[in-house]
């Protein structure tokens, strides 16, 4: 006998990994896209937000940033130029190889990144607050499982 959850398009005791993978990918992508939109506003583009988040862990070269973001060097140069013009990032010569440029986050960049993260968290918290206790528990479990999956 198949137990069907009225809110799910799939039976709960016959979940196929490939179907679940499609559902998870779609849900994660839509949520991620919405979170990016919610926090970008007029100050930061989603790409700038991501670069600042990378820089929070330490200065990096343009090449390192481009590789992490899977973009070409000219695209990363445009992002970094915009961040430096806004005062959110700074450039300095690499102490080991003077031909390289290190990009770092500034205090203003830290502040705008914190604000954007707060906006994202507030948006998501507002949606989660409208869920039942059972749904929040399910999401909590799913969040832990997703974190474990992505760490593997």
């Amino acid at each position: 006998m198949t137990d069907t959850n009225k809110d799910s398009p799939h039976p709960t005791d016959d979940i196929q990994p490939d179907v679940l993978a499609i559902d998870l990918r779609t849900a994660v992508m839509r949520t991620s896209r919405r979170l990016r939109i919610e926090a970008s506003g007029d100050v930061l583009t989603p790409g700038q937000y991501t670069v600042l988040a990378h820089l929070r862990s330490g200065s990096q070269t343009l090449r390192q940033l481009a590789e992490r973001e899977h973009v070409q060097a000219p695209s990363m140069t445009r992002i970094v130029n915009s961040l430096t013009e806004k005062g959110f990032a700074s450039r300095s010569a690499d102490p080991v190889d003077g031909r390289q440029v290190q990009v770092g986050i500034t205090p203003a960049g830290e502040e705008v990144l914190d604000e954007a993260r707060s906006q994202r968290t507030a948006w998501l918290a507002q949606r989660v607050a409208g869920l039942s206790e059972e749904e929040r528990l399910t999401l909590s479990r799913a969040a832990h499982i997703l974190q474990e999956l992505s760490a593997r």
Side-chain angles (χ1 to χ4, degrees):
M1 179 171 147
T2 302
D3 178 28
T4 305
N5 180 334
K6 65 180 170 110
D7 296 329
S8 173
H10 309 294
T12 57
D13 64 349
D14 191 26
I15 299 173
Q16 299 298 311
D18 57 339
V19 174
L20 178 58
I22 292 168
D23 290 346
L24 283 172
R25 180 184 49 78
T26 302
V28 168
M29 294 298 290
R30 285 182 181 163
T31 303
S32 177
R33 188 176 315 121
R34 185 63 191 264
L35 285 170
R36 288 173 63 129
I37 291 168
E38 288 299 320
S40 44
D42 298 334
V43 180
L44 289 177
T45 67
Q48 291 170 343
Y49 174 92
T50 305
V51 169
L52 285 179
H54 288 311
L55 293 175
R56 184 168 258 173
S57 64
S59 295
Q60 298 176 46
T61 65
L62 285 169
R63 181 179 185 164
Q64 289 170 320
L65 289 168
E67 287 174 358
R68 287 187 85 173
E69 283 300 293
H70 305 287
V71 298
Q72 297 297 316
S75 296
M76 185 52 63
T77 299
R78 282 190 295 278
I79 292 171
V80 170
N81 285 345
S82 180
L83 288 171
T84 55
E85 288 169 12
K86 294 177 181 181
F88 300 148
S90 63
R91 295 172 187 248
S92 60
D94 187 304
V96 177
D97 182 355
R99 299 170 297 173
Q100 293 289 324
V101 173
Q102 287 284 323
V103 181
I105 190 168
T106 65
E110 294 270 3
E111 189 175 313
V112 76
L113 183 61
D114 287 341
E115 184 178 315
R117 283 185 171 172
S118 293
Q119 288 174 345
R120 289 177 177 197
T121 300
W123 177 84
L124 194 52
Q126 183 180 16
R127 267 79 190 159
V128 169
L131 300 176
S132 70
E133 184 65 32
E134 181 181 343
E135 289 170 322
R136 286 195 299 270
L137 181 60
T138 299
L139 274 181
S140 176
R141 289 178 180 152
H144 290 290
I145 293 168
L146 286 170
Q147 288 172 3
E148 288 175 11
L149 279 175
S150 65
R152 293 181 189 166

